[in-house]
Amino acid sequence: MTPLVTTNQEREWVRSIRNATILHNKDNVTRTKAYLQLYAQHPELHWSLLAHLVSRNGGYQMTDLKGETLDSLLSPKNHATLFSFLETANAWIFQDAFPQLMWYALNKQRGFHIPSTLLRHFHVSVFNEAAWIFFLRSPATRKAFLTCALIENEQRMIEVRHLSRKESQAVVSSFPFRIQNVLPFTHVIFPYKKSVLLLSPRVRGVTVSQFELVTERIRIGRVLYTLLYSQKSTLKFAGNWAKETAHTGSREDLWPKIYSRHRTSSKKIWSPRLSSVWPAVNIPDWQPEDWCKTATLPDTFHYGQASYCRLTDHTSALRKATVALQTMDWIGDALHEFFQ
């Protein structure tokens, strides 16, 4: 039950957080930037940097639908359906998580005197309200705990509010969605060091499979957290790169030697800016339901870095896959001209 706002100050806090969430929830680019801004101010919020880097990948996947490699494989209707599916998940995670991060930032400024009950005005699950209370008892030692709680919460939230619905299940089981699983664009990656030979970052990450399983998405989130925070050098490089490289949704942000935002570049793969191919859309309304009431709470909740995670460099594999796709495009164009 949402508590009553009893003071003008509490009303102002609620209004401020809501306005900021609406302002930054316009599209993938504004969300991604907002995550990074909060992390820059509050580096103890590990999840915020992780969300920024994952959100960058979400933007790449959205622009891939209109880019050179996928545009010819899918119909305009499939483009729109897949974009809507990705955009809804992206936006709803932000709508759920960003008010929590803003509440923490305000709370920190006020000496941690803002009650956790304020979170209920933003329909935060009781699971995560409890997680914030536990975190604030010892913020210096419970950063990993909070990160893992947010990973768990956000994936279970979109499972109940988005992925469990019939229309979303139809998208996940559709042929166009399955096609992406055999292409190199289902990797979630982030840069971890400079490549002297390529003059662009080397990357680590994971390949997303079994997306329909909430437990698998949670596992992937925890592995990505481990990849990012297990080595100080990786964290420093990825953080600095994120601050220095504006997110546009184009893969040129990451690999300017391979991709180009400009379609006229014949030697590179066209990867457009997100804003040039997808307009900002209204976020679908959601029911303010708590996933804890309709889903089973995890039997166990281990937190910290995943010791089983291998630090695998994905750079070579992604480059090979990209070259293969370029070859496929070339062969397709040649056959098209031959049979004209």
Side-chain angles (χ1 to χ4, degrees):
M1 181 177 180
T2 303
L4 292 175
V5 178
T6 57
T7 69
N8 288 334
Q9 181 62 83
E10 288 181 347
R11 292 188 186 92
E12 180 54 36
W13 287 332
V14 170
R15 182 163 51 248
S16 175
I17 292 173
R18 280 180 177 159
N19 289 342
T21 303
I22 293 170
L23 176 66
H24 295 298
N25 205 4
K26 292 180 179 178
D27 59 27
N28 171 267
V29 173
T30 58
R31 294 176 209 121
T32 306
K33 183 178 179 181
Y35 285 138
L36 185 63
Q37 288 175 334
L38 266 177
Y39 171 76
Q41 297 167 4
H42 310 283
E44 66 273 26
L45 294 176
H46 291 185
W47 186 88
S48 202
L49 178 60
L50 178 64
H52 167 80
L53 293 169
V54 172
S55 187
R56 278 184 180 256
N57 282 266
Y60 301 153
Q61 291 161 2
M62 292 175 189
T63 55
D64 285 342
L65 294 170
K66 290 286 192 176
E68 189 170 333
T69 50
L70 286 182
D71 186 45
S72 60
L73 294 176
L74 302 175
S75 68
K77 181 179 179 180
N78 286 331
H79 289 158
T81 299
L82 289 174
F83 169 74
S84 177
F85 175 83
L86 293 170
E87 172 71 0
T88 299
N90 200 261
W92 281 1
I93 287 175
F94 186 89
Q95 187 164 313
D96 186 75
F98 193 71
Q100 298 179 54
L101 303 177
M102 285 288 295
W103 169 82
Y104 171 79
L106 280 172
N107 215 347
K108 185 178 175 182
Q109 292 174 5
R110 298 283 176 167
F112 298 107
H113 295 306
I114 302 178
S116 66
T117 52
L118 207 72
L119 290 170
R120 299 174 196 175
H121 291 279
F122 309 103
H123 311 298
V124 174
S125 71
V126 293
F127 173 86
N128 245 41
E129 182 181 345
W132 280 105
I133 294 171
F134 184 71
F135 166 72
L136 289 179
R137 291 174 183 169
S138 182
T141 62
R142 293 175 178 172
K143 294 187 284 288
F145 164 82
L146 179 67
T147 305
C148 291
L150 281 161
I151 291 170
E152 183 100 23
N153 182 76
E154 299 315 316
Q155 291 305 323
R156 292 191 180 276
M157 179 276 295
I158 64 166
E159 178 71 17
V160 170
R161 294 180 179 174
H162 183 33
L163 297 178
S164 64
R165 304 192 185 283
K166 289 183 179 179
E167 56 270 26
S168 296
Q169 291 177 349
V171 173
V172 173
S173 62
S174 67
F175 178 68
F177 190 89
R178 297 292 182 182
I179 276 183
Q180 294 189 92
N181 287 335
V182 299
L183 298 177
F185 307 118
T186 52
H187 294 286
V188 179
I189 55 177
F190 56 79
Y192 76 98
K193 71 177 182 180
K194 192 76 172 180
S195 172
V196 177
L197 295 177
L198 300 177
L199 299 178
S200 59
R202 300 190 71 83
V203 297
R204 286 191 179 125
V206 298
T207 301
V208 179
S209 61
Q210 295 182 302
F211 181 85
E212 67 277 10
L213 299 180
V214 62
T215 52
E216 179 64 9
R217 296 196 306 274
I218 291 168
R219 186 192 70 81
I220 288 172
R222 290 169 60 84
V223 170
L224 287 168
Y225 178 43
T226 299
L227 289 174
L228 182 58
Y229 275 87
S230 60
Q231 296 181 355
K232 290 184 179 180
S233 58
T234 297
L235 175 62
K236 181 178 180 181
F237 183 87
N240 289 340
W241 178 86
K243 293 173 186 176
E244 295 165 2
T245 309
H247 174 61
T248 69
S250 170
R251 289 186 183 270
E252 183 184 342
D253 298 347
L254 189 60
W255 284 314
K257 295 291 183 180
I258 300 174
Y259 294 93
S260 174
R261 301 183 186 99
H262 307 291
R263 201 165 195 170
T264 55
S265 178
S266 59
K267 295 182 179 180
K268 298 179 182 179
I269 300 174
W270 178 52
S271 179
R273 291 173 180 265
L274 187 140
S275 59
S276 69
V277 291
W278 291 116
V281 297
N282 293 326
I283 302 168
D285 293 331
W286 68 1
Q287 295 298 318
E289 55 190 311
D290 188 340
W291 64 264
C292 295
K293 296 178 181 179
T294 55
T296 304
L297 283 168
D299 293 330
T300 58
F301 180 69
H302 300 291
Y303 68 92
Q305 295 172 343
S307 59
Y308 55 82
C309 178
R310 294 173 55 194
L311 301 181
T312 304
D313 188 322
H314 277 55
T315 308
S316 177
L318 286 171
R319 283 178 58 78
K320 288 178 181 178
T322 298
V323 171
L325 279 173
Q326 286 178 304
T327 304
M328 286 169 57
D329 286 343
W330 181 83
I331 293 173
D333 291 342
L335 289 173
H336 179 76
E337 292 182 7
F338 179 79
F339 286 108
Q340 284 297 313

